[in-house]
Amino acid sequence: MSHTPPPAPPPQDHETLAIEAAAFRRLLAHLMHERSDVQNIDLMILAGFCRNCLADWYREAAEGRGIAMTKDEAREAVYGMPFAQWKAQHQQDATAEQLAAFEAAQKRHG
């Protein structure tokens, strides 16, 4: 899935950036530790994004600041471990129902 970056937000003060960074770290921790059972396909169905999307956005943000980052490095930052390890420990095969719901969601989310 292609991720079109949103327009650059206006400059923000240090406190706002710190608060947003803390909220992002909390989201990552929640997905890594508290809800590792939630499958990426379910996130895509319900929200139109998943952990891989977060990793893509993370990499795009790094590159926007002149920091080179690979897809694997970004995924490890989001998953808290190498992606292959996370997949082996947490990812399940998608069910027929999930695949059908994903297809319908793709039409809704565009």
Side-chain angles (χ1 to χ4, degrees):
M1 165 176 260
S2 173
H3 301 287
T4 304
Q12 297 179 344
D13 63 82
H14 178 72
E15 288 300 318
T16 300
L17 290 174
I19 292 166
E20 290 172 349
F24 181 72
R25 286 189 300 270
R26 175 70 189 267
L27 173 62
L28 291 182
H30 184 74
L31 291 172
M32 282 181 211
H33 306 294
E34 297 170 37
R35 293 309 311 262
S36 60
D37 61 313
V38 174
Q39 300 297 299
N40 280 336
I41 194 167
D42 292 322
L43 288 170
M44 287 296 295
I45 292 165
L46 295 172
F49 77 96
C50 69
R51 292 170 184 89
N52 292 335
C53 298
L54 287 174
D56 290 343
W57 300 338
Y58 189 87
R59 187 179 77 241
E60 289 168 5
E63 291 173 351
R65 298 186 59 84
I67 301 168
M69 181 176 290
T70 67
K71 181 177 174 177
D72 288 337
E73 289 169 333
R75 283 186 174 185
E76 188 163 343
V78 168
Y79 285 94
M81 63 182 69
F83 180 59
Q85 181 182 347
W86 188 91
K87 269 180 79 169
Q89 290 179 3
H90 302 290
Q91 188 166 311
Q92 301 169 7
D93 290 336
T95 66
E97 293 81 12
Q98 285 172 314
L99 292 172
F102 178 76
E103 183 71 27
Q106 289 295 97
K107 292 176 184 169
R108 285 193 315 272
H109 296 300

